[in-house]
Amino acid sequence: MADIDQANIDTTIAALEQGITAIPIEQAMTVLEAWQQQLQGLAIADDLGELKDALRKGKSADAIANLLTSLGGDTSSELTIDTSGETAAKIRQLSSLLTQAGAELRS
C-alpha cells in the first residue's frame, strides 16, 4: 500500500470542492501526475493515466465523466484498504467528490 500524502489529499479535495469545471486543465494534469507517481504500482494509477490521456486529447465531457465516476469508485475500494482514521475519511470524501464531479459533467 502506498503512503498517502495528506497535503495531496487536501489539495485535491479543495480543488474538487470548487467544482470540476473550475479546475484549469494544467492544474488537473499536475494533480493527476502527482497522484499517478504516488500510487505507482496500483491499478488506480492506470485509471489516473486514462483520465490524464482523456484530458490531453480533449475527449468528450461524457467520456471524462465516466472516467471520474469509475475513479471515484476505485478510490474508495482500493485506497481505504489498510488505511484508518482521518486518512480513510478523507479518501472516502475524495471518492465522493470524484463521483460528484462525474455527475456534474453529465448535467
Side-chain angles (χ1 to χ4, degrees):
M1 173 70 202
D3 289 327
I4 304 298
D5 181 346
Q6 290 295 318
N8 204 13
I9 291 176
D10 294 338
T11 300
T12 306
I13 287 172
L16 288 169
E17 285 177 335
Q18 297 301 311
I20 191 71
T21 57
I23 303 170
I25 293 293
E26 301 80 25
Q27 180 185 355
M29 297 299 272
T30 299
V31 169
L32 288 169
E33 287 171 11
W35 276 111
Q36 201 173 17
Q37 288 177 356
Q38 185 176 1
L39 301 173
Q40 190 173 13
L42 298 176
I44 197 167
D46 294 335
D47 294 345
L48 292 164
E50 286 180 42
L51 180 56
K52 195 169 70 171
D53 190 50
L55 290 170
R56 187 179 11 250
K57 291 180 178 177
K59 296 274 185 166
S60 71
D62 195 47
I64 292 170
N66 289 338
L67 289 167
L68 286 167
T69 301
S70 176
L71 189 58
D74 292 348
T75 297
S76 181
S77 64
E78 193 166 339
L79 296 184
T80 55
I81 298 168
D82 297 329
T83 308
S84 61
E86 184 180 351
T87 300
K90 286 183 178 187
I91 289 170
R92 285 190 296 276
Q93 181 182 6
L94 181 58
S95 172
S96 176
L97 286 167
L98 288 165
T99 302
Q100 288 172 21
E104 180 183 332
L105 282 180
R106 286 189 185 94
S107 60

